[in-house]
Amino acid sequence: MDLRVKKTHDSLQRALLILLNQKSLENITVAEICRIAEINRGTFYLHYKNVHGVFERYFNDIVKDLKFSYDFPYDVTKDNLSMLTPEMIQIFHHVKKHEAFYRIVFDEKTPMLYYHKLLETVRSFILESHLEEIEHISDQQLEYLASYTANSIMGILIQWHKEDYVLAPETLNKYIYEFYRLNETLKKNI
Amino acid sequence: MDLRVKKTHDSLQRALLILLNQKSLENITVAEICRIAEINRGTFYLHYKNVHGVFERYFNDIVKDLKFSYDFPYDVTKDNLSMLTPEMIQIFHHVKKHEAFYRIVFDEKTPMLYYHKLLETVRSFILESHLEEIEHISDQQLEYLASYTANSIMGILIQWHKEDYVLAPETLNKYIYEFYRLNETLKKNI
DNA sequence: GAAGTTATTGTACATCTGTTCAATAAAAAT
DNA sequence: ATTTTTATTGAACAGATGTACAATAACTTC
């Protein structure tokens, strides 16, 4: 790979991180990030459409980290019966690890793009490991079930974000498990 | 209320709708919307921060419509035992009714703001009507349960969006009901 | 190492942004 | 109806955006 291109990308990524310590993402301009990175503004537009382009590159690295951590089995007692197993705790640990990053992802000003990408990732985890055994369900219905299930976990993340990430990942995991069992109890009261 | 202010808001709202038929929201500039609305650009900044400000005003009207429709009981056979009752079909009907609008809300380029607001609305529906009878749950846990439950419905909406809103609201409602029952079946296989 | 290819640079341009301010027009208060 | 208050306007400003182009520098190929 061309060293010049790599240098451009690295400089811009480094400049973005510097600026994110000073101001919010939506207040960072292309001109500004180029000044810090010592990159010509014209060069910027050769590679990215806007500042979010640089952030998206950063995002892809973070999600790679999530996918990697998910490939490692977290707990031996794999509970395949629930669609929302304690396995999901890895997602909470991941978000906590990159908290500063996810504060931006869930921010009101941030485009939906990153939310969609994260949901897609969680969705693939669920499709790969938890939805195989389901019968009597159409392909299309399975797509909806995956989104339904994955996004319920995203709901936990959003609430976590709203409460400033105060709870421990283990607590969230316990919550999910209890929410799953809750259906059962309610049904028994019929 | 000052007639001049109302005229300004109305002109801008009308101009936004005209422009949305021609191009996507993120490509509409303040200068452009002011030219169409025949409003001085300085006046624009007296009322809004950017183009999204005008869209947000529009959004508030739409959500008002959702809240209104939800106040009307849709079906007499209210199933209080499930947290996700067929009552939710009203949300699907609402989104279908304002499909052109929600195509923008769920778009990748659109800020998370509208998603958060819609989630908050669905969340309030659930808290008001379905989560009262739950016992042995802390206030905080209830907050998470509400986000968890409300966002699972949002997951259906996102999938609907991804599939270009082809299915009927009734079908989605049937799906949700079946997803709820699915837990039951899986557990019996222990 | 020379020749060819490609990324980066500097400059320029029209347009947009966000803000300020005095002048004016429209509404509200008396 | 006159005065007071407030919204809108037009002009001007520094800075940002997105694009274009020729010149130059860096990398690749042979």
Side-chain angles (χ1 to χ4, degrees):
Chain A
M1 202 242 205
D2 200 319
L3 285 174
R4 292 171 296 182
V5 177
K6 181 170 161 38
K7 198 176 175 181
T8 299
H9 285 307
D10 290 351
S11 297
L12 286 171
Q13 183 122 339
R14 207 168 337 109
L16 177 68
L17 292 177
I18 291 169
L19 285 167
L20 279 176
N21 282 325
Q22 298 170 16
K23 51 172 75 183
S24 60
L25 182 56
E26 79 268 23
N27 287 323
I28 298 172
T29 67
V30 172
E32 197 171 20
I33 200 171
C34 288
R35 275 195 299 270
I36 306 270
E38 293 178 286
I39 297 292
N40 189 278
R41 205 162 53 81
T43 309
F44 180 96
Y45 285 111
L46 251 38
H47 295 283
Y48 301 101
K49 210 192 147 205
N50 48 44
V51 177
H52 272 290
V54 189
F55 187 76
E56 191 179 346
R57 212 182 163 81
Y58 183 26
F59 179 87
N60 291 335
D61 289 344
I62 306 267
V63 169
K64 231 174 270 169
D65 180 56
L66 172 60
K67 285 177 177 158
F68 180 76
S69 73
Y70 193 80
D71 281 339
F72 270 91
Y74 177 79
D75 196 33
V76 277
T77 59
K78 207 177 171 185
D79 174 18
N80 265 322
L81 298 164
S82 155
M83 288 177 298
L84 304 173
T85 68
E87 216 171 359
M88 286 299 155
I89 195 171
Q90 292 186 81
I91 293 169
F92 300 138
H93 276 133
H94 165 80
V95 172
K96 188 69 187 173
K97 181 178 168 189
H98 302 285
E99 182 183 321
F101 174 81
Y102 282 104
R103 278 180 188 273
I104 298 169
V105 168
F106 291 116
D107 187 87
E108 290 190 340
K109 309 271 180 64
T110 305
M112 291 286 290
L113 172 65
Y114 313 106
Y115 185 90
H116 280 299
K117 283 197 171 188
L118 183 62
L119 171 60
E120 197 49 53
T121 305
V122 175
R123 204 172 171 276
S124 71
F125 294 163
I126 288 169
L127 275 170
E128 282 165 21
S129 51
H130 296 293
L131 261 40
E132 302 137 347
E133 69 272 18
I134 308 214
E135 292 163 10
H136 306 305
I137 187 168
S138 71
D139 283 357
Q140 187 173 51
Q141 201 165 355
L142 189 67
E143 297 291 309
Y144 276 90
L145 177 56
S147 294
Y148 171 90
T149 310
N151 214 45
S152 65
I153 295 173
M154 295 290 281
I156 303 281
L157 295 182
I158 289 174
Q159 186 63 28
W160 203 16
H161 174 79
K162 283 208 303 191
E163 295 191 355
D164 226 37
Y165 302 90
V166 286
L167 296 186
E170 289 78 9
T171 312
L172 298 182
N173 206 51
K174 198 192 71 189
Y175 278 7
I176 280 205
Y177 186 70
E178 287 174 16
F179 294 164
Y180 175 66
R181 289 198 51 204
L182 206 57
N183 284 341
E184 225 168 332
T185 345
L186 284 170
K187 278 174 193 158
K188 281 180 184 157
N189 292 338
I190 298 177
Chain B
M1 203 242 207
D2 198 318
L3 285 174
R4 293 171 294 183
V5 177
K6 182 169 162 36
K7 197 176 175 181
T8 299
H9 286 307
D10 290 352
S11 297
L12 286 171
Q13 184 123 337
R14 206 165 342 107
L16 177 67
L17 291 177
I18 290 169
L19 284 167
L20 279 176
N21 282 324
Q22 299 170 16
K23 50 171 77 182
S24 61
L25 182 57
E26 79 268 20
N27 288 322
I28 298 171
T29 66
V30 173
E32 198 171 19
I33 200 171
C34 288
R35 273 195 300 270
I36 306 272
E38 293 177 285
I39 296 294
N40 190 278
R41 205 161 54 81
T43 309
F44 179 95
Y45 286 109
L46 286 169
H47 296 284
Y48 301 102
K49 212 190 148 206
N50 47 44
V51 176
H52 272 291
V54 188
F55 187 76
E56 191 179 347
R57 210 181 164 81
Y58 182 26
F59 178 87
N60 291 336
D61 289 345
I62 305 270
V63 169
K64 230 173 272 169
D65 180 55
L66 172 60
K67 284 176 178 159
F68 179 76
S69 72
Y70 193 79
D71 281 339
F72 270 90
Y74 176 79
D75 196 32
V76 277
T77 58
K78 206 177 172 185
D79 174 17
N80 265 321
L81 299 164
S82 156
M83 288 176 297
L84 304 173
T85 68
E87 217 171 358
M88 286 300 154
I89 196 172
Q90 294 186 80
I91 293 168
F92 301 138
H93 276 134
H94 166 80
V95 172
K96 188 69 188 174
K97 181 179 169 188
H98 302 284
E99 182 183 319
F101 174 81
Y102 282 104
R103 279 180 187 272
I104 298 170
V105 168
F106 291 118
D107 187 88
E108 291 190 341
K109 308 270 179 63
T110 306
M112 291 285 291
L113 172 65
Y114 313 106
Y115 186 90
H116 280 299
K117 283 197 171 187
L118 183 61
L119 171 59
E120 196 50 55
T121 305
V122 175
R123 204 173 172 274
S124 71
F125 293 162
I126 288 169
L127 275 170
E128 282 166 21
S129 51
H130 297 291
L131 262 39
E132 302 137 347
E133 70 270 20
I134 308 216
E135 292 163 11
H136 306 306
I137 187 168
S138 71
D139 283 357
Q140 186 173 50
Q141 202 165 353
L142 189 67
E143 297 292 308
Y144 276 90
L145 178 56
S147 294
Y148 170 91
T149 311
N151 213 45
S152 64
I153 294 171
M154 294 291 281
I156 303 281
L157 295 181
I158 289 175
Q159 187 63 27
W160 203 18
H161 174 79
K162 283 209 301 191
E163 296 191 354
D164 227 37
Y165 302 90
V166 286
L167 295 186
E170 288 79 9
T171 311
L172 298 182
N173 206 51
K174 198 191 69 188
Y175 279 6
I176 281 204
Y177 185 70
E178 287 174 15
F179 295 164
Y180 176 68
R181 291 198 49 202
L182 207 58
N183 285 340
E184 224 170 331
T185 344
L186 285 169
K187 277 174 192 159
K188 280 181 184 156
N189 292 338
I190 298 178

